[in-house]
Amino acid sequence: MSTAKKNEVREPLIHLSKRTTVDPVRAWAIRIAAIVLGLIVCGLVAFLLIEKLNDHPERIGDFYTAFIKGSFSTSRKFWKFLKNIAILLCVSLALTPAFRMRFWNIGGEGQTLTGVLGAIAVDFYLGGKVPEWLLLILMFFAAILAGAVWGVIPALFKARWGTNETLFTLMMNYVATFLVSYFLVVWVPSGSSSLGKLKHGKLPSLGNDYLLIILIVLALAGILYVYLNYTKHGYEINVVGESVRTAQYVGINEKKVIIRTMILSGALCGLAGYLIGAGLDQTITTESAGGQGFTGIMVAWLGKFNPLAMILTAGLIQLLNQGAAQISQDFDVSGAFPNVIIGIILFFIIGSEFFINYEIHFRGHHSHAEAGKEAVK
């Protein structure tokens, strides 16, 4: 065997390369194809797990129409759909400035929960003692302040000592849960830990109880889009996210930007908490945030941290949630089945991002393509 053959490097069967440019039309076509494929797989899984479909295969159409029926079959479901989008979108928007800066704020759940706590604490101690309009204003500022404080703590540690923000913000979620548990014990001496619905501190209704919440969040999406793309602060966030060294070179104080951005992120989570506490629940439990802080990460990532695109991704997530719940109701399956359906579709959506950003080459194909390019040159 010759020395040349011994030193020859064998080309791998499969080779991955990152795409230098991504055609938006092609990217959306891949995402839509992924959703369709996910729905097909969901149908196959449904045949295996749902007894009613095994007995009546012709009802597969009912299975798919349940995704629409869950959100649009009645006026009540439609308003619930819009309300759920608004709360999820608000939390997602709150996380976006930090994510744009590559500060991985996983603490949206805790920051939202402390926002609810701040609003309900004011309501608990001052409800009925001050005018309703003043009570709502005080609840608003308490929620914003509580969320901002919960957000700035990990930012200070990151800026001063370089701590890992992912773990820090994640742990703060659990601290927030224990803090709420403590106040429930203080406020409810009976030991039931159930505060009950408070009589005061309810946001006014504009024809529908949810309309004001929806309008506030839509306005926030527009304002945040302008802030991130057309202001000096937004520019600094983007530069720090791209490269800390570049930010330092052009004279941006990255520590100041980190702290300022996390104050904003936490404050917006506090706003979501205010909308939950004053606009919806008028009470608090350890589950008041409802997992929105974690789901919001998915919404922000799927929307590429674009506040306007996130309106669509939040709508998609809620359409899946309510559709899966409708399937559970119509076909009398266990409460865990909706999570299976949602998980399958999200798996395909997330997987599609791989094919959008990376190109697969097989042995021989890549070398032939390169040879063709050289021949053209």
Side-chain angles (χ1 to χ4, degrees), residues 196-239:
K197 194 169 184 177
L198 300 178
K199 297 179 180 179
H200 302 277
K202 172 69 174 175
L203 281 176
S205 174
L206 299 180
N208 184 282
D209 289 342
Y210 304 145
L211 182 57
L212 180 59
I213 296 174
I214 295 166
L215 293 177
I216 289 172
V217 176
L218 285 177
L220 176 62
I223 292 170
L224 191 63
Y225 179 82
V226 173
Y227 174 81
L228 291 174
N229 293 285
Y230 299 104
T231 67
K232 179 185 176 183
H233 286 184
Y235 168 75
E236 291 176 344
I237 288 172
N238 291 325
V239 173

Short mmCIF file of all heavy atoms in Angstrom, two decimals, residues 196-239:
data_model
loop_
_atom_site.label_atom_id
_atom_site.label_comp_id
_atom_site.label_asym_id
_atom_site.label_seq_id
_atom_site.Cartn_x
_atom_site.Cartn_y
_atom_site.Cartn_z
N GLY A 196 -58.08 32.92 48.45
CA GLY A 196 -59.42 33.26 47.97
C GLY A 196 -59.38 34.53 47.14
O GLY A 196 -58.40 35.29 47.16
N LYS A 197 -60.43 34.77 46.40
CA LYS A 197 -60.49 35.93 45.51
C LYS A 197 -60.76 37.19 46.31
O LYS A 197 -61.73 37.25 47.08
CB LYS A 197 -61.59 35.72 44.47
CG LYS A 197 -61.53 36.68 43.30
CD LYS A 197 -62.47 36.24 42.19
CE LYS A 197 -62.33 37.16 40.97
NZ LYS A 197 -63.18 36.72 39.85
N LEU A 198 -59.90 38.20 46.14
CA LEU A 198 -60.05 39.45 46.87
C LEU A 198 -61.15 40.30 46.24
O LEU A 198 -61.43 40.19 45.04
CB LEU A 198 -58.73 40.21 46.88
CG LEU A 198 -57.54 39.47 47.53
CD1 LEU A 198 -56.27 40.30 47.44
CD2 LEU A 198 -57.85 39.15 48.99
N LYS A 199 -61.76 41.16 47.03
CA LYS A 199 -62.92 41.93 46.58
C LYS A 199 -62.54 43.18 45.81
O LYS A 199 -63.36 43.75 45.10
CB LYS A 199 -63.79 42.32 47.78
CG LYS A 199 -64.38 41.12 48.53
CD LYS A 199 -65.22 41.59 49.71
CE LYS A 199 -65.82 40.41 50.47
NZ LYS A 199 -66.61 40.86 51.64
N HIS A 200 -61.30 43.62 45.98
CA HIS A 200 -60.89 44.88 45.36
C HIS A 200 -59.71 44.63 44.41
O HIS A 200 -59.15 43.54 44.35
CB HIS A 200 -60.50 45.89 46.44
CG HIS A 200 -61.59 46.17 47.42
ND1 HIS A 200 -62.60 47.08 47.18
CD2 HIS A 200 -61.85 45.65 48.65
CE1 HIS A 200 -63.42 47.12 48.21
NE2 HIS A 200 -62.99 46.26 49.12
N GLY A 201 -59.33 45.70 43.67
CA GLY A 201 -58.17 45.61 42.80
C GLY A 201 -58.41 44.88 41.50
O GLY A 201 -57.56 44.13 41.04
N LYS A 202 -59.56 45.13 40.87
CA LYS A 202 -59.91 44.50 39.60
C LYS A 202 -59.80 45.52 38.48
O LYS A 202 -60.37 46.61 38.56
CB LYS A 202 -61.33 43.93 39.68
CG LYS A 202 -61.89 43.41 38.36
CD LYS A 202 -61.20 42.15 37.90
CE LYS A 202 -61.87 41.59 36.66
NZ LYS A 202 -61.15 40.42 36.11
N LEU A 203 -59.07 45.18 37.41
CA LEU A 203 -58.97 46.07 36.26
C LEU A 203 -60.35 46.30 35.65
O LEU A 203 -61.16 45.38 35.60
CB LEU A 203 -58.03 45.48 35.21
CG LEU A 203 -56.52 45.63 35.45
CD1 LEU A 203 -55.74 44.91 34.36
CD2 LEU A 203 -56.11 47.09 35.51
N PRO A 204 -60.60 47.52 35.15
CA PRO A 204 -61.92 47.79 34.55
C PRO A 204 -62.13 46.99 33.27
O PRO A 204 -61.18 46.58 32.61
CB PRO A 204 -61.86 49.30 34.25
CG PRO A 204 -60.41 49.63 34.18
CD PRO A 204 -59.73 48.70 35.14
N SER A 205 -63.39 46.77 32.94
CA SER A 205 -63.76 46.00 31.76
C SER A 205 -64.12 46.95 30.61
O SER A 205 -64.81 47.94 30.81
CB SER A 205 -64.94 45.09 32.07
OG SER A 205 -65.39 44.43 30.92
N LEU A 206 -63.63 46.62 29.41
CA LEU A 206 -63.97 47.40 28.21
C LEU A 206 -64.88 46.59 27.31
O LEU A 206 -64.53 46.19 26.20
CB LEU A 206 -62.70 47.80 27.45
CG LEU A 206 -61.69 48.67 28.19
CD1 LEU A 206 -60.49 48.96 27.30
CD2 LEU A 206 -62.33 49.98 28.64
N GLY A 207 -66.06 46.30 27.79
CA GLY A 207 -66.98 45.46 27.03
C GLY A 207 -66.75 43.99 27.27
O GLY A 207 -67.68 43.19 27.31
N ASN A 208 -65.48 43.61 27.42
CA ASN A 208 -65.10 42.23 27.75
C ASN A 208 -63.99 42.29 28.78
O ASN A 208 -63.13 43.17 28.73
CB ASN A 208 -64.63 41.50 26.48
CG ASN A 208 -64.32 40.03 26.75
OD1 ASN A 208 -63.28 39.69 27.29
ND2 ASN A 208 -65.25 39.15 26.38
N ASP A 209 -64.01 41.35 29.72
CA ASP A 209 -63.02 41.37 30.80
C ASP A 209 -61.59 41.26 30.31
O ASP A 209 -60.65 41.66 31.01
CB ASP A 209 -63.31 40.22 31.78
CG ASP A 209 -64.57 40.46 32.60
OD1 ASP A 209 -65.01 41.62 32.66
OD2 ASP A 209 -65.10 39.49 33.18
N TYR A 210 -61.40 40.70 29.11
CA TYR A 210 -60.04 40.45 28.62
C TYR A 210 -59.54 41.49 27.64
O TYR A 210 -58.34 41.51 27.32
CB TYR A 210 -59.97 39.07 27.94
CG TYR A 210 -60.41 37.92 28.80
CD1 TYR A 210 -61.09 36.83 28.24
CD2 TYR A 210 -60.17 37.91 30.17
CE1 TYR A 210 -61.49 35.76 29.03
CE2 TYR A 210 -60.58 36.84 30.96
CZ TYR A 210 -61.24 35.77 30.38
OH TYR A 210 -61.63 34.72 31.16
N LEU A 211 -60.43 42.36 27.14
CA LEU A 211 -60.05 43.27 26.06
C LEU A 211 -58.95 44.22 26.47
O LEU A 211 -58.00 44.46 25.70
CB LEU A 211 -61.27 44.05 25.59
CG LEU A 211 -61.04 45.02 24.42
CD1 LEU A 211 -60.46 44.28 23.21
CD2 LEU A 211 -62.33 45.75 24.05
N LEU A 212 -59.01 44.78 27.68
CA LEU A 212 -58.00 45.73 28.13
C LEU A 212 -56.63 45.06 28.20
O LEU A 212 -55.61 45.64 27.79
CB LEU A 212 -58.38 46.30 29.49
CG LEU A 212 -57.39 47.32 30.09
CD1 LEU A 212 -57.23 48.51 29.15
CD2 LEU A 212 -57.86 47.79 31.47
N ILE A 213 -56.58 43.82 28.70
CA ILE A 213 -55.33 43.07 28.79
C ILE A 213 -54.74 42.87 27.39
O ILE A 213 -53.54 43.07 27.17
CB ILE A 213 -55.56 41.72 29.47
CG1 ILE A 213 -56.00 41.92 30.92
CG2 ILE A 213 -54.31 40.85 29.42
CD1 ILE A 213 -56.40 40.65 31.62
N ILE A 214 -55.60 42.50 26.44
CA ILE A 214 -55.14 42.25 25.07
C ILE A 214 -54.57 43.52 24.45
O ILE A 214 -53.50 43.50 23.82
CB ILE A 214 -56.30 41.70 24.22
CG1 ILE A 214 -56.74 40.33 24.74
CG2 ILE A 214 -55.91 41.61 22.75
CD1 ILE A 214 -58.07 39.86 24.21
N LEU A 215 -55.24 44.65 24.63
CA LEU A 215 -54.78 45.91 24.06
C LEU A 215 -53.46 46.35 24.67
O LEU A 215 -52.57 46.87 23.97
CB LEU A 215 -55.85 46.99 24.26
CG LEU A 215 -57.17 46.79 23.49
CD1 LEU A 215 -58.17 47.89 23.85
CD2 LEU A 215 -56.92 46.76 21.99
N ILE A 216 -53.32 46.17 25.99
CA ILE A 216 -52.07 46.54 26.66
C ILE A 216 -50.89 45.75 26.10
O ILE A 216 -49.83 46.32 25.81
CB ILE A 216 -52.19 46.32 28.19
CG1 ILE A 216 -53.14 47.34 28.81
CG2 ILE A 216 -50.81 46.39 28.86
CD1 ILE A 216 -53.45 47.07 30.27
N VAL A 217 -51.08 44.46 25.91
CA VAL A 217 -49.97 43.61 25.44
C VAL A 217 -49.66 43.90 23.97
O VAL A 217 -48.48 43.91 23.58
CB VAL A 217 -50.32 42.13 25.65
CG1 VAL A 217 -49.21 41.25 25.08
CG2 VAL A 217 -50.51 41.82 27.14
N LEU A 218 -50.68 44.16 23.14
CA LEU A 218 -50.41 44.53 21.75
C LEU A 218 -49.62 45.83 21.67
O LEU A 218 -48.68 45.95 20.85
CB LEU A 218 -51.73 44.66 20.99
CG LEU A 218 -52.43 43.35 20.60
CD1 LEU A 218 -53.76 43.65 19.93
CD2 LEU A 218 -51.56 42.50 19.69
N ALA A 219 -49.98 46.80 22.50
CA ALA A 219 -49.23 48.06 22.53
C ALA A 219 -47.80 47.82 22.98
O ALA A 219 -46.85 48.40 22.44
CB ALA A 219 -49.93 49.05 23.46
N LEU A 220 -47.63 46.94 23.97
CA LEU A 220 -46.29 46.62 24.46
C LEU A 220 -45.44 45.99 23.37
O LEU A 220 -44.25 46.30 23.24
CB LEU A 220 -46.40 45.67 25.66
CG LEU A 220 -45.07 45.16 26.25
CD1 LEU A 220 -44.24 46.33 26.77
CD2 LEU A 220 -45.33 44.14 27.35
N ALA A 221 -46.03 45.12 22.56
CA ALA A 221 -45.29 44.47 21.47
C ALA A 221 -44.77 45.52 20.49
O ALA A 221 -43.60 45.46 20.05
CB ALA A 221 -46.17 43.45 20.76
N GLY A 222 -45.61 46.48 20.14
CA GLY A 222 -45.18 47.53 19.22
C GLY A 222 -44.09 48.42 19.81
O GLY A 222 -43.10 48.75 19.15
N ILE A 223 -44.27 48.79 21.08
CA ILE A 223 -43.29 49.66 21.74
C ILE A 223 -41.95 48.94 21.87
O ILE A 223 -40.88 49.53 21.62
CB ILE A 223 -43.81 50.08 23.13
CG1 ILE A 223 -45.01 51.01 22.98
CG2 ILE A 223 -42.71 50.76 23.95
CD1 ILE A 223 -45.75 51.28 24.27
N LEU A 224 -41.97 47.68 22.24
CA LEU A 224 -40.73 46.94 22.42
C LEU A 224 -40.02 46.73 21.08
O LEU A 224 -38.78 46.76 21.01
CB LEU A 224 -41.00 45.58 23.08
CG LEU A 224 -39.76 44.81 23.56
CD1 LEU A 224 -39.03 45.60 24.65
CD2 LEU A 224 -40.15 43.43 24.08
N TYR A 225 -40.78 46.53 20.01
CA TYR A 225 -40.18 46.40 18.68
C TYR A 225 -39.41 47.66 18.32
O TYR A 225 -38.27 47.59 17.83
CB TYR A 225 -41.28 46.13 17.65
CG TYR A 225 -40.75 46.01 16.24
CD1 TYR A 225 -40.21 44.81 15.78
CD2 TYR A 225 -40.78 47.10 15.36
CE1 TYR A 225 -39.71 44.70 14.47
CE2 TYR A 225 -40.28 47.00 14.07
CZ TYR A 225 -39.75 45.79 13.64
OH TYR A 225 -39.25 45.70 12.37
N VAL A 226 -40.01 48.82 18.55
CA VAL A 226 -39.34 50.09 18.27
C VAL A 226 -38.12 50.26 19.18
O VAL A 226 -37.04 50.67 18.73
CB VAL A 226 -40.32 51.26 18.45
CG1 VAL A 226 -39.59 52.60 18.33
CG2 VAL A 226 -41.44 51.18 17.43
N TYR A 227 -38.28 49.93 20.45
CA TYR A 227 -37.18 50.08 21.43
C TYR A 227 -35.96 49.25 21.04
O TYR A 227 -34.82 49.74 21.08
CB TYR A 227 -37.68 49.66 22.81
CG TYR A 227 -36.61 49.63 23.88
CD1 TYR A 227 -36.20 50.80 24.51
CD2 TYR A 227 -36.00 48.43 24.26
CE1 TYR A 227 -35.21 50.78 25.49
CE2 TYR A 227 -35.02 48.40 25.23
CZ TYR A 227 -34.62 49.57 25.84
OH TYR A 227 -33.64 49.55 26.80
N LEU A 228 -36.18 48.02 20.63
CA LEU A 228 -35.07 47.12 20.32
C LEU A 228 -34.41 47.42 18.98
O LEU A 228 -33.23 47.12 18.79
CB LEU A 228 -35.54 45.66 20.34
CG LEU A 228 -35.93 45.10 21.71
CD1 LEU A 228 -36.52 43.70 21.56
CD2 LEU A 228 -34.75 45.07 22.66
N ASN A 229 -35.16 48.00 18.06
CA ASN A 229 -34.64 48.18 16.70
C ASN A 229 -34.29 49.61 16.32
O ASN A 229 -33.52 49.82 15.38
CB ASN A 229 -35.65 47.63 15.69
CG ASN A 229 -35.80 46.12 15.78
OD1 ASN A 229 -34.95 45.37 15.33
ND2 ASN A 229 -36.91 45.68 16.37
N TYR A 230 -34.82 50.59 17.07
CA TYR A 230 -34.64 51.98 16.63
C TYR A 230 -34.18 52.92 17.74
O TYR A 230 -34.28 54.14 17.58
CB TYR A 230 -35.95 52.51 16.03
CG TYR A 230 -36.39 51.71 14.82
CD1 TYR A 230 -37.44 50.81 14.92
CD2 TYR A 230 -35.77 51.86 13.59
CE1 TYR A 230 -37.85 50.06 13.82
CE2 TYR A 230 -36.18 51.13 12.48
CZ TYR A 230 -37.21 50.23 12.60
OH TYR A 230 -37.61 49.50 11.51
N THR A 231 -33.69 52.39 18.85
CA THR A 231 -33.20 53.26 19.92
C THR A 231 -31.75 52.92 20.25
O THR A 231 -31.24 51.85 19.90
CB THR A 231 -34.04 53.12 21.20
OG1 THR A 231 -33.86 51.80 21.76
CG2 THR A 231 -35.53 53.34 20.91
N LYS A 232 -31.09 53.85 20.95
CA LYS A 232 -29.70 53.64 21.36
C LYS A 232 -29.59 52.44 22.29
O LYS A 232 -28.67 51.62 22.17
CB LYS A 232 -29.17 54.90 22.04
CG LYS A 232 -27.73 54.76 22.51
CD LYS A 232 -27.28 55.99 23.27
CE LYS A 232 -25.86 55.79 23.83
NZ LYS A 232 -25.42 56.94 24.63
N HIS A 233 -30.51 52.34 23.24
CA HIS A 233 -30.49 51.20 24.17
C HIS A 233 -30.62 49.88 23.43
O HIS A 233 -29.93 48.90 23.73
CB HIS A 233 -31.61 51.34 25.20
CG HIS A 233 -31.34 52.39 26.23
ND1 HIS A 233 -32.17 52.61 27.30
CD2 HIS A 233 -30.32 53.27 26.37
CE1 HIS A 233 -31.69 53.59 28.04
NE2 HIS A 233 -30.57 54.01 27.49
N GLY A 234 -31.53 49.82 22.45
CA GLY A 234 -31.69 48.60 21.67
C GLY A 234 -30.43 48.26 20.90
O GLY A 234 -30.04 47.09 20.80
N TYR A 235 -29.78 49.29 20.35
CA TYR A 235 -28.51 49.07 19.63
C TYR A 235 -27.45 48.48 20.57
O TYR A 235 -26.74 47.55 20.20
CB TYR A 235 -28.04 50.40 19.03
CG TYR A 235 -26.62 50.36 18.51
CD1 TYR A 235 -26.32 49.73 17.31
CD2 TYR A 235 -25.59 50.96 19.24
CE1 TYR A 235 -25.00 49.69 16.83
CE2 TYR A 235 -24.29 50.93 18.77
CZ TYR A 235 -24.00 50.29 17.58
OH TYR A 235 -22.71 50.25 17.12
N GLU A 236 -27.36 49.04 21.77
CA GLU A 236 -26.36 48.55 22.73
C GLU A 236 -26.64 47.11 23.14
O GLU A 236 -25.71 46.30 23.30
CB GLU A 236 -26.34 49.47 23.96
CG GLU A 236 -25.78 50.84 23.68
CD GLU A 236 -25.85 51.77 24.88
OE1 GLU A 236 -26.59 51.47 25.84
OE2 GLU A 236 -25.16 52.81 24.86
N ILE A 237 -27.92 46.78 23.29
CA ILE A 237 -28.29 45.39 23.62
C ILE A 237 -27.82 44.45 22.52
O ILE A 237 -27.23 43.40 22.80
CB ILE A 237 -29.82 45.29 23.82
CG1 ILE A 237 -30.23 45.95 25.12
CG2 ILE A 237 -30.27 43.82 23.81
CD1 ILE A 237 -31.74 46.07 25.30
N ASN A 238 -28.04 44.83 21.27
CA ASN A 238 -27.65 43.98 20.15
C ASN A 238 -26.13 43.84 20.04
O ASN A 238 -25.62 42.75 19.75
CB ASN A 238 -28.22 44.54 18.85
CG ASN A 238 -29.73 44.41 18.76
OD1 ASN A 238 -30.29 43.42 19.25
ND2 ASN A 238 -30.38 45.37 18.16
N VAL A 239 -25.41 44.93 20.29
CA VAL A 239 -23.94 44.87 20.20
C VAL A 239 -23.37 43.98 21.30
O VAL A 239 -22.50 43.14 21.04
CB VAL A 239 -23.34 46.29 20.29
CG1 VAL A 239 -21.81 46.22 20.37
CG2 VAL A 239 -23.75 47.12 19.08
#
